[in-house]
Amino acid sequence: MAQPVGIKDVARAAGVSVGTVSNVINRPDSVATETRARVLSAIDRLGYVRSESARQLRAGRSRIMGLLVLDMGNPFFVDVARGAERAARNAGLGVMVCNSAQSASEEADYLSLFAEQRVRGVLLTPADATGRNIEAFRRHGIPFVLVDRVAEGTTECSVSVDDVAGGALAVRHLVDAGHRSIAYVSGPPGFNQVRDRRTGALNALAEAGLGPTALRELPTERLDVAAGRDAGARLLGLADRPTAVFCANDLLALGVLQAMYAAGVGVPDDLAIVGYDDIEFAAAAAVPLTSVRQPAVTMGALAAELLLEETEIETEAESGAKRHDHRRVVLQPELVVRRSSLPTR
């Protein structure tokens, strides 16, 4: 395997010092025209590409931002990544996207990788409910912003959606449609989003004069379609089956919809379904899915902008110019009503 061409090879081919090659690359105006042309010719002939990572390490400023999400199989996080990438690109940065797969141990591994790579900062949707991974990462002094989660118990910036309000929107809609027994397919209980959406659902029931027993919770180990199908099978086995189901995300809702379709249960006539996130597949489902929309692209972009602001101010703060004030940005959800929750008879 051929060895990469280094700056010493260029210097040797051009008959100049390594310092002169460095000046041509970084400060071309400081080099005589003829010498500069000779060095550029050698660079072109040899196919030299400078080591950006080495340059960044010398400068102490990476041009890479880390993004660690729960599940890149979920289109919601793809949209978050799109927003973050757009904001980073506008600032001349790239984004290293990693997937914890809802695993605390994989999250810890990726956070260690970010620290080793000395990234500019990290956008993080935590998988570890204990907070230990965040505490360990904080020791590296790398700025981070929490995405899709309120920064509870921390001082860092965060960008999230009011999930209590979102859960209330979903269940209030079902109550207004006449449902008095509702299932909540909730996902892993350790996730704040899951708990907050449940709180919102209970709030909506209380507003309608219904107690917490009107909400039947069906927890799942993951937030994917397979877990939704499993929850749907459990739902079908209930003797006193609820007439509606609210799912903690759209992938769970699509899995429940598949289980109902396979069992011949009509949606929405026999069971109304509401999801959460409003991913693209929600509108394209066999029965278009009612969902609580989160502004995922906006969330990713705002998180990246907060991180960029923090890292820029930290640089200026070294000379005593400014100090970064951490902020919690909470966006509002929106209910998008489609056929899955609207009875046809």
Side-chain angles (χ1 to χ4, degrees):
M1 183 177 180
Q3 293 294 317
V5 175
I7 194 170
K8 291 181 180 179
D9 299 311
V10 174
R12 190 179 304 113
V16 298
S17 69
V18 169
T20 299
V21 177
S22 178
N23 284 337
V24 169
I25 294 170
N26 297 299
R27 295 177 295 279
D29 292 342
S30 67
V31 182
T33 303
E34 182 181 341
T35 303
R36 185 167 69 241
R38 193 162 71 249
V39 171
L40 290 174
S41 175
I43 287 174
D44 184 61
R45 188 169 66 254
L46 297 175
Y48 168 74
V49 177
R50 71 176 177 178
S51 172
E52 180 63 18
S53 60
R55 188 193 69 81
Q56 291 172 12
L57 286 176
R58 288 192 299 272
R61 295 284 286 168
S62 172
R63 291 178 56 205
I64 298 297
M65 176 188 300
L67 171 63
L68 181 55
V69 299
L70 288 176
D71 181 9
M72 281 305 292
N74 185 339
F76 166 75
F77 288 110
V78 175
D79 285 343
V80 169
R82 283 175 49 215
E85 190 274 337
R86 184 180 304 163
R89 186 176 66 244
N90 289 341
L93 272 65
V95 179
M96 180 191 299
V97 182
C98 297
N99 175 28
S100 71
Q102 304 175 40
S103 164
S105 62
E106 290 192 36
E107 175 182 85
D109 290 342
Y110 280 123
L111 288 175
S112 294
L113 175 64
F114 289 151
E116 291 170 5
Q117 295 297 317
R118 301 187 191 181
V119 296
R120 175 77 64 93
V122 173
L123 307 178
L124 170 65
T125 303
D128 177 22
T130 69
R132 284 192 290 265
N133 286 344
I134 288 178
E135 285 303 315
F137 184 70
R138 188 180 280 114
R139 293 197 295 266
H140 297 290
I142 298 173
F144 64 90
V145 174
L146 299 180
V147 185
D148 193 32
R149 175 171 163 181
V150 176
E152 295 175 349
T154 72
T155 59
E156 280 74 24
C157 290
S158 65
V159 180
S160 63
V161 165
D162 187 341
D163 284 316
V164 174
L169 282 174
V171 171
R172 191 179 295 124
H173 167 69
L174 292 172
V175 169
D176 288 346
H179 298 283
R180 296 296 180 267
S181 178
I182 300 169
Y184 177 43
V185 178
S186 60
F191 290 161
N192 288 14
Q193 301 93 323
V194 166
R195 295 197 301 268
D196 287 349
R197 292 166 196 177
R198 179 179 185 274
T199 297
L202 292 172
N203 288 349
L205 291 174
E207 290 172 6
L210 299 171
T213 57
L215 191 71
R216 177 80 65 87
E217 187 165 1
L218 297 174
T220 63
E221 292 185 357
R222 299 184 63 79
L223 290 159
D224 55 24
V225 173
R229 284 195 298 267
D230 175 70
R234 284 184 280 152
L235 188 64
L236 290 168
L238 296 177
D240 54 342
R241 190 169 73 211
T243 60
V245 58
F246 166 44
C247 298
N249 76 1
D250 284 342
L251 296 183
L252 291 172
L254 291 171
V256 171
L257 180 62
Q258 288 179 8
M260 296 305 112
Y261 182 83
V265 174
V267 175
D269 290 336
D270 299 319
L271 183 76
I273 302 176
V274 176
Y276 205 103
D277 290 339
D278 194 35
I279 61 176
E280 184 177 355
F281 297 135
V287 179
L289 185 66
T290 294
S291 184
V292 178
R293 176 178 293 165
Q294 297 199 82
V297 174
T298 299
M299 193 182 303
L302 285 174
E305 288 165 6
L306 284 175
L307 187 60
L308 288 166
E309 176 188 298
E310 179 173 357
T311 56
E312 290 303 322
I313 287 179
E314 278 195 349
T315 301
E316 296 174 10
E318 293 174 3
S319 59
K322 293 183 182 179
R323 184 177 64 85
H324 174 73
D325 293 320
H326 292 299
R327 300 201 302 273
R328 294 183 179 183
V329 178
V330 180
L331 305 174
Q332 291 303 308
E334 174 190 358
L335 182 69
V336 181
V337 179
R338 300 190 181 95
R339 190 156 60 90
S340 70
S341 64
L342 295 176
T344 56
R345 62 169 185 253

